Amino acid sequence: MDKYAEKRLLHTPEGVRDIYGRELLKKLTVQDKLMHTFASFGYKNIQTPVFEFFDVFGSEIGTTRSNELYKFFDKEGNTLVLRPDFTPSMARCAAKYFMEEDIPVRFSYCGNAFTNTSNLQGKLKEMTETGVELIGDGHRSADAELIHMAVSALKAAGLKEFQICIGEIEFFKGLCEEAGLSDEMVEQVRELISNKNYFGVEEYILEAGIKKEKAESFLKVVELFGSYECLQEAKLIVKNEMSLKAVGRLQELYETLEELGDEKYISFDLGMVSNYNYYTGIIFKAYTYGVGDTVLRGGRYDKLLSHFGKEAPAIGFMILVDDLMIALDSQKLSPDEEKYIDYLLYDKGMAKKAGKLADKMRRDGLCVECVQFAAGKKIDDYVAYGYHNMVSRLYHLTNEEKILTYDLADNSPDGLPVDNADLKAFTWRKKA
């Protein structure tokens, strides 16, 4: 094996990475808080396959572009893809197992999604996502529930300052119809707006020969964002019924969120669009300090399930856990990792007694790592190791059947035991 190939074995491909130790523990802590929040709203966890048939994410569905999918073949020649997005998988699953169900179904999930693109500006191609889907409820109260739960989840994760920006796809569609844009032009404008290329929008519309009055209205809207007051402004620059109804729905939504006490986290963006074409109503994104992109995305997709044979409205959102962790770290809001391991170090010849003691401790709910004291090592080596590897307490069982206890949870590893007891009289901390 040449040196290059040998070196490559130690590294991950571009866009993926290893996570371990404290970083992983913090991430799992945040995921648990998010999933607990979802469960508190009645959402039940579900797992779907990490890869599916290509058609689940095909262009007709309106999800990720084909050239951004990780594609491969099974032995029968079927084209399979690693999931780039959970929502189509959830829609397929709901249609398969709840085809006849006419009572709303609530799903929550946590897993990894994959996007094969070189345009991510250093972002990961494998991303951990956690989120929810509410299937079978088309009421405005469902929209409010999802936004309220999004606020609750981000707060539970530790964020204190963030904004959930809400738009309405029907407002955008009505605006395009009012401006007389063809389907091809709508997609081009959607692409320009999703890339925040507002100068490109202006140039494209004017070159397309759109009437000046209609073009000016369109260009005003892409800059129309902010607090609740911008909704009233939006009504003044559009005349079509579809857009006006969309604004009315946003006003009604805000009133409900205000009653729930979420108004400080809510803003609006009437020019908001999404790369996912399956959205049909409200769409929303959450922003916070310390990360250059959204940490949460979601919206209503009332027609997606029909692709899988079930007619049902739906709404959901997903949280980008990796980006949320970056935001928490930059704001110094990372959760304190719980040092949950107890380390039982024993001298040579004490393996059997150490093993029995470790089992007793585990029956009391502790996580115990049992290790023989190695020749040439000092106790300070194990104390330092424990401090940096999430060990809560280190117990040293000596040949004299004494147990020296080192408490590492106070973040001051000085190598001095806090307790010294005989094995028979030794007691340990039970898990709370």
Side-chain angles (χ1 to χ4, degrees):
M1 182 182 296
D2 60 43
K3 288 184 178 180
Y4 175 77
E6 206 171 289
K7 184 177 180 182
R8 187 173 59 186
L9 286 176
L10 298 176
H11 295 275
T12 60
E14 180 186 357
V16 297
R17 68 189 188 98
D18 303 310
I19 308 176
Y20 61 96
R22 274 194 170 89
E23 181 184 3
L24 179 56
L25 184 55
K26 288 179 179 180
K27 182 176 178 178
L28 294 175
T29 300
V30 168
Q31 287 175 198
D32 286 345
K33 290 181 177 181
L34 295 172
M35 295 302 289
H36 177 76
T37 302
F38 302 154
S40 73
F41 279 75
Y43 286 74
K44 300 175 182 64
N45 204 3
I46 190 170
Q47 291 184 349
T48 58
V50 72
F51 60 87
E52 303 238 22
F53 289 117
F54 172 77
D55 291 343
V56 172
F57 304 101
S59 58
E60 294 178 355
I61 303 296
T63 182
T64 307
R65 295 174 178 173
S66 176
N67 64 351
E68 294 180 355
L69 298 172
Y70 281 100
K71 296 188 283 283
F72 56 102
F73 301 97
D74 63 13
K75 61 182 180 180
E76 285 79 26
N78 298 307
T79 304
L80 309 176
V81 299
L82 294 178
R83 65 179 172 225
D85 171 21
F86 274 86
T87 300
S89 291
M90 294 293 133
R92 175 199 56 74
C93 187
K96 179 177 181 180
Y97 297 105
F98 299 90
M99 179 62 74
E100 305 302 324
E101 185 62 76
D102 58 1
I103 294 176
V105 178
R106 289 168 166 81
F107 292 144
S108 63
Y109 62 83
C110 185
N112 289 1
F114 306 83
T115 307
N116 185 20
T117 174
S118 58
N119 261 347
L120 291 177
Q121 300 176 342
K123 295 191 68 173
L124 294 172
K125 296 182 178 181
E126 178 185 19
M127 297 160 287
T128 301
E129 298 180 3
T130 181
V132 295
E133 312 292 344
L134 173 49
I135 310 292
D137 193 337
H139 298 102
R140 297 297 148 229
S141 58
D143 296 350
E145 176 180 312
L146 267 287
I147 300 290
H148 179 55
M149 183 164 48
V151 171
S152 300
L154 293 178
K155 288 166 67 176
L159 282 184
K160 296 179 179 178
E161 296 186 55
F162 59 89
Q163 281 288 298
I164 295 184
C165 193
I166 307 173
E168 236 285 0
I169 289 295
E170 294 292 295
F171 183 88
F172 173 74
K173 288 182 177 178
L175 183 67
C176 290
E177 288 184 10
E178 186 175 326
L181 302 184
S182 65
D183 290 345
E184 182 181 343
M185 294 169 70
V186 168
E187 289 308 308
Q188 181 63 36
V189 171
R190 181 198 296 273
E191 175 75 14
L192 291 168
I193 291 178
S194 67
N195 292 327
K196 304 299 183 185
N197 186 359
Y198 299 128
F199 293 107
V201 173
E202 180 178 11
E203 182 180 6
Y204 182 81
I205 289 178
L206 293 176
E207 287 182 355
I210 303 300
K211 292 181 180 179
K212 186 177 181 181
E213 179 186 350
K214 300 293 184 184
E216 286 178 352
S217 296
F218 199 97
L219 295 173
K220 286 178 183 177
V221 168
V222 297
E223 297 179 352
L224 194 57
F225 56 87
S227 61
Y228 176 80
E229 286 69 27
C230 76
L231 298 181
Q232 195 58 40
E233 294 179 38
K235 285 186 172 182
L236 301 177
I237 59 176
V238 293
K239 298 178 180 178
N240 70 86
E241 186 177 358
M242 183 185 294
S243 295
L244 290 172
K245 284 185 176 180
V247 175
R249 288 192 293 270
L250 291 178
Q251 290 177 318
E252 181 182 340
L253 173 62
Y254 181 81
E255 290 170 3
T256 303
L257 294 172
E258 190 175 33
E259 290 180 6
L260 293 169
D262 295 333
E263 67 274 10
K264 66 175 286 190
Y265 302 106
I266 304 302
S267 59
F268 296 93
D269 182 355
L270 276 303
M272 184 186 296
V273 295
S274 172
N275 287 328
Y276 295 151
N277 292 341
Y278 52 67
Y279 286 131
T280 58
I282 69 162
I283 54 174
F284 49 95
K285 302 176 182 179
Y287 299 87
T288 188
Y289 301 111
V291 60
D293 204 347
T294 57
V295 294
L296 179 151
R297 295 196 292 264
R300 177 163 286 283
Y301 51 97
D302 287 345
K303 298 179 181 179
L304 179 58
L305 273 81
S306 64
H307 288 281
F308 303 98
K310 179 179 175 65
E311 297 293 336
I315 182 172
F317 69 77
M318 66 87 174
I319 295 174
L320 295 154
V321 178
D322 300 289
D323 286 346
L324 176 58
M325 295 304 301
I326 293 172
L328 290 169
D329 282 341
S330 68
Q331 296 176 40
K332 303 189 185 305
L333 296 172
S334 295
D336 293 330
E337 70 273 19
E338 179 187 354
K339 294 187 174 183
Y340 63 90
I341 299 173
D342 281 351
Y343 201 90
L344 181 55
L345 180 67
Y346 60 90
D347 288 348
K348 186 176 180 181
M350 300 298 290
K352 291 182 180 179
K353 292 184 177 180
K356 288 183 179 179
L357 177 59
D359 274 347
K360 289 180 181 178
M361 296 168 72
R362 290 175 187 130
R363 285 196 290 271
D364 276 342
L366 300 178
C367 300
V368 182
E369 186 174 349
C370 206
V371 178
Q372 181 176 308
F373 207 123
K377 290 288 185 182
K378 298 178 181 179
I379 188 63
D380 287 354
D381 296 327
Y382 291 100
V383 169
Y385 173 85
Y387 173 67
H388 292 293
N389 287 274
M390 301 171 292
V391 172
S392 177
R393 281 194 172 187
L394 185 152
Y395 302 101
H396 179 200
L397 174 58
T398 70
N399 282 318
E400 294 80 23
E401 297 196 10
K402 298 278 188 180
I403 295 184
L404 284 71
T405 301
Y406 300 79
D407 194 339
L408 308 184
D410 62 358
N411 293 329
S412 56
D414 53 12
L416 298 176
V418 297
D419 194 17
N420 188 352
D422 291 328
L423 176 57
K424 290 182 180 179
F426 170 65
T427 58
W428 54 87
R429 242 181 353 189
K430 292 187 178 181
K431 189 173 182 181

